[in-house]
Amino acid sequence: MNTSERSQQMRFAAHMSWANTTDRSGRTAAARKASHHTRFLDMAREKHPDATEAEIEKVAESLRRAHYSALALKSAAARRAKRERTQAEKRAAAEQQLAKYRPGTAVA
């Protein structure tokens, strides 16, 4: 089985699995609880050990938003770099094509 077929098979299995799931949020609740939320709460408690639970929740929410804002910035930078590389490659290819038609220019 090649990579494409395996990917399609896995995609099919995932769709079937979700089709058989009646409680979607219940299925992912443990993972959501264990992932980012508790991490941000722990970070908030470390930063503000004397804060109330309400204050900890607010700080954790700010930490979560900051985290996702940083991810968005990194993603935008990566997309921009990829776009600039693609544009540079297209310019180089166009320049190479044009060089064929310039008098006295030999292209290998």
Side-chain angles (χ1 to χ4, degrees), residues 1-22:
M1 182 179 308
N2 67 27
T3 307
S4 177
E5 290 169 337
R6 181 160 171 73
S7 179
Q8 287 176 340
Q9 182 182 24
M10 293 171 67
R11 193 175 305 116
F12 169 77
H15 287 304
M16 289 304 296
S17 177
W18 280 110
N20 293 325
T21 300
T22 54

Side-chain angles (χ1 to χ4, degrees), residues 79-97:
R79 287 191 310 271
R80 183 180 60 253
K82 181 179 179 181
R83 183 181 66 243
E84 289 171 355
R85 276 193 312 274
T86 302
Q87 288 173 346
E89 290 169 0
K90 285 181 180 180
R91 279 192 298 273
E95 185 64 34
Q96 191 174 24
Q97 287 294 321

